[in-house]
Amino acid sequence: MSPGHKNNRLKLRLLLFKFKDHLMILTGLLLLVFSLASVFLLIINFGYDLDPGRKENIKQAGTLMLFFFFIISTVRFVLNFKEVLKEQLFFIDILIYIFSFGALCATTFFPEDMKNDLPFLHFLSSRWTMFILLIVFSVINISKIIFRSLNAKINPSLLFIYSFLFIILTGTGLLLLPNSYRTELSFTDALFTATTSVCVTGLTTVDVPTTFTFTGQIFILLLIQIGGLGVMTFTSFFAMSFMGKSSFGSSILLKDFLNEDNLGNMFKTLVNTMIVTFIIEGTGTWLLFMNLGDIPHRDFGGKLFICIFHSVSAFCNAGISILHGNLGNPLTIHNYSFLFCISILVILGGLGFPIVFNYMRLFRHYVVNWFKMLTGKQQYYQHKPWIIHVHTRIVIASTLALLVVGTTFIYFTEEDASFRNLSETGKIVTAFFNATIPRTAGFVSIDITTFAPPTLFIILILMMIGAAPMSTGGGMKVNTVAIATLAAFNVARGKQHLEIRHREIRSRNISKAFSVIILYIICMFTATGILMYTEKNNHLFSILFEVVSALSTVGSSLNYSPGLSEPGKYVIISSMFIGRIGVLTFLSGLLKRYQEKNYQYPEGGIIIN
């Protein structure tokens, strides 16, 4: 073969590669456009009352969007089939592609009478099937775009802040749609409700079951679920599931969000997080459904939705209820099995996913070794495996101590007061419930304004401490308070190093614990001071209680939020937002990153008494 012929073949191959690259860029842009257009169609369909003619037009436009998605997916499969095979969940991608093809064929080629006779064709051609497919395509494609944006040189803390801000503003727009609310709803109240949902707080300025329709309640439920797990967790899960390879830069940034040391385990961590979440919420829904009696004017579907909503709200530590009077509703106020299930869901959500995974690893270890010993492949051994981390031990011990102390204290202070008309079982369960809820879900079974001052004081302390890191709860976090307390006692004893369970705690972690506490107190006093100025009814303890509830994303209230002025509402909104992001993460996002220097100044002594 002549050199000229080889050069021509090489040029042709280069042109084909360039054409393929340009075509992939074009398909990516088209996918973004069609994804946004699909979201727009879905908003119009669910957010507005449409006549049958316009509904049909929306369905035709949705079918056209689905057709475009199918064509672009076909092009992607043809040009990049090897990359598709490298996707984590490529078989689901293929399944979605097949369903899209079936839906388009059923909608286009089969007559209506045949669709009515064949349930499968009727299902494929239905409006709901089309909308579900559009939602799946849109979520996957938008998640890919967000995930790729991790490659940009942006502070991870700032990206975390932007992600929550974006979903809050999106939620505000959804709640302002005409089909989302019944009574008058201002922009501030919609923003407040979206913020309290995404930040899984529970403070509200409006009555949720009265103000919002079923559509609005679904939007709130979705905001709670996304906010509880984190926007980056959701988008990263879908992106990594349907992308061949992620860049090293995006993987490094995502590692910080997931607190995962091994880059290769990130997708496994994401999958486990989603699976564990839905298993716990599904189990919680079933238990709540079995323990909830008949609901007047509610069918099976209505009762099921109530249980799903409360299961998600409890596990995500949101504390938002769609029952009138929250859990003080006649259906639940004396339903102690229901309240106990809610308490357990709140505790599981507040422990954090690292704790759950740690105990799952221990359980797997015992099962595997028991099976090996049973089959004779391994001899019995007596040593205990070091699987439970020191972090897990601190969180579990602190959580149990707070639950026991809180339950006992509330029981004895309210036994002859607000609990006097309850049975003995009711007193114990209600005390346990009210010791659990301040960490950090704002459900209410008994109006806490009737509690004695000592009870409100212990609730205030529990709210400030909060839940565990990497959980759906807020507050200063139990391990932070535990480490700072133990370090303070160490200093008083003249001991330099802090050891827990034969492990030395790094000095960096101790400094971080004290930093979180100091920044939390600064934010708390700043918000309280502003509210003391803006609010006419400036009762100090009520304002402090509301600020701590917002900053710790709890939601317990002395009925102060509905009476807030417009500026006061924005102070609480800011407090909820900062509390969900984390005071240290929020400050890290605002400040320029410090570059470590290779030199050290001489030490200077200062007097600390």
Side-chain angles (χ1 to χ4, degrees), residues 325-340:
N326 208 284
L327 298 186
N329 188 280
L331 289 168
T332 55
I333 188 171
H334 297 302
N335 191 340
Y336 302 123
S337 55
F338 189 92
L339 295 179
F340 183 76

Side-chain angles (χ1 to χ4, degrees), residues 80-105:
N80 262 358
F81 190 70
K82 290 183 179 179
E83 291 296 322
V84 173
L85 290 177
K86 294 177 183 177
E87 293 176 358
Q88 306 279 4
L89 299 177
F90 75 93
F91 57 93
I92 296 181
D93 206 357
I94 300 295
L95 190 63
I96 295 170
Y97 179 79
I98 294 171
F99 257 101
S100 302
F101 178 74
L104 289 171
C105 290

Side-chain angles (χ1 to χ4, degrees), residues 65 122 125 181 268 271 372 388 407 494 515 555 557:
M65 290 296 167
H122 180 73
S125 61
Y181 59 91
K268 184 179 178 181
V271 172
K372 287 181 178 179
I388 301 301
T407 302
S515 300
S557 176

Side-chain angles (χ1 to χ4, degrees), residues 425-440:
T425 302
K427 290 178 182 179
I428 295 172
V429 173
T430 306
F432 177 71
F433 178 82
N434 283 282
T436 303
I437 293 310
R439 311 185 37 255
T440 56

Side-chain angles (χ1 to χ4, degrees), residues 65-270:
M65 290 296 167
L66 189 60
F67 174 75
F68 284 132
F69 277 128
F70 178 77
I71 293 299
I72 293 174
S73 297
T74 303
V75 172
R76 186 171 70 92
F77 286 159
V78 171
L79 295 180
N80 262 358
F81 190 70
K82 290 183 179 179
E83 291 296 322
V84 173
L85 290 177
K86 294 177 183 177
E87 293 176 358
Q88 306 279 4
L89 299 177
F90 75 93
F91 57 93
I92 296 181
D93 206 357
I94 300 295
L95 190 63
I96 295 170
Y97 179 79
I98 294 171
F99 257 101
S100 302
F101 178 74
L104 289 171
C105 290
T107 304
T108 308
F109 300 114
F110 291 92
E112 290 296 327
D113 54 348
M114 186 178 292
K115 296 176 190 176
N116 294 329
D117 293 336
L118 298 173
F120 185 67
L121 285 179
H122 180 73
F123 168 75
L124 283 176
S125 61
S126 68
R127 196 161 56 103
W128 286 104
T129 301
M130 181 197 68
F131 284 143
I132 290 172
L133 288 171
L134 286 179
I135 290 171
V136 170
F137 273 118
S138 301
V139 167
I140 291 173
N141 290 313
I142 293 174
S143 296
K144 287 180 179 179
I145 293 166
I146 294 174
F147 190 73
R148 288 193 180 104
S149 70
L150 291 172
N151 295 322
K153 293 182 178 179
I154 184 170
N155 187 336
S157 299
L158 201 58
L159 185 63
F160 193 56
I161 293 172
Y162 286 156
S163 67
F164 271 93
L165 187 61
F166 171 76
I167 198 66
I168 286 171
L169 294 176
T170 303
T172 303
L174 293 174
L175 293 179
L176 285 172
L177 293 173
N179 276 1
S180 295
Y181 59 91
R182 296 187 184 94
T183 59
E184 186 178 351
L185 183 69
S186 66
F187 172 81
T188 301
D189 288 332
L191 178 64
F192 197 103
T193 306
T195 305
T196 197
S197 301
V198 175
C199 298
V200 290
T201 305
L203 292 173
T204 54
T205 54
V206 296
D207 185 42
V208 173
T210 304
T211 304
F212 295 100
T213 62
F214 178 69
T215 301
Q217 291 172 8
I218 289 178
F219 288 147
I220 291 174
L221 178 64
L222 293 175
L223 292 174
I224 290 172
Q225 185 71 88
I226 294 173
L229 292 181
V231 185
M232 295 310 301
T233 301
F234 267 92
T235 54
S236 300
F237 171 75
F238 286 107
M240 292 186 73
S241 298
F242 300 100
M243 288 177 70
K245 290 181 179 179
S246 58
S247 70
F248 182 74
S250 60
S251 299
I252 289 292
L253 285 177
L254 185 59
K255 177 179 72 72
D256 296 330
F257 290 119
L258 298 177
N259 195 32
E260 177 60 58
D261 295 328
N262 191 340
L263 293 178
N265 288 339
M266 283 194 303
F267 181 72
K268 184 179 178 181
T269 301
L270 284 170

Side-chain angles (χ1 to χ4, degrees), residues 414-435:
E414 298 298 326
E415 181 184 12
D416 297 323
S418 59
F419 294 175
R420 63 181 176 275
N421 295 324
L422 302 179
S423 64
E424 191 61 30
T425 302
K427 290 178 182 179
I428 295 172
V429 173
T430 306
F432 177 71
F433 178 82
N434 283 282

Side-chain angles (χ1 to χ4, degrees), residues 288-403:
L288 294 178
F289 189 88
M290 296 301 292
N291 287 289
L292 188 63
D294 294 331
I295 305 177
H297 312 296
R298 294 268 189 169
D299 56 5
F300 175 84
K303 179 181 176 181
L304 180 63
F305 178 72
I306 288 174
C307 294
I308 292 173
F309 191 100
H310 285 84
S311 179
V312 173
S313 184
F315 180 72
C316 292
N317 280 215
I320 300 175
S321 174
I322 54 175
L323 294 173
H324 294 284
N326 208 284
L327 298 186
N329 188 280
L331 289 168
T332 55
I333 188 171
H334 297 302
N335 191 340
Y336 302 123
S337 55
F338 189 92
L339 295 179
F340 183 76
C341 290
I342 291 288
S343 301
I344 296 302
L345 286 169
V346 170
I347 291 170
L348 289 174
L351 285 177
F353 294 104
I355 310 295
V356 177
F357 295 155
N358 206 187
Y359 277 104
M360 286 172 59
R361 197 174 298 119
L362 179 65
F363 177 75
R364 178 180 176 275
H365 171 84
Y366 278 125
V367 170
V368 170
N369 282 276
W370 175 82
F371 181 76
K372 287 181 178 179
M373 287 186 288
L374 194 66
T375 55
K377 295 182 179 179
Q378 179 175 293
Q379 297 296 320
Y380 177 76
Y381 62 94
Q382 293 183 344
H383 74 277
K384 291 183 179 180
W386 189 269
I387 294 177
I388 301 301
H389 301 155
V390 65
H391 165 79
T392 301
R393 297 178 188 277
I394 294 172
V395 170
I396 294 296
S398 303
T399 300
L400 289 175
L402 290 172
L403 287 174

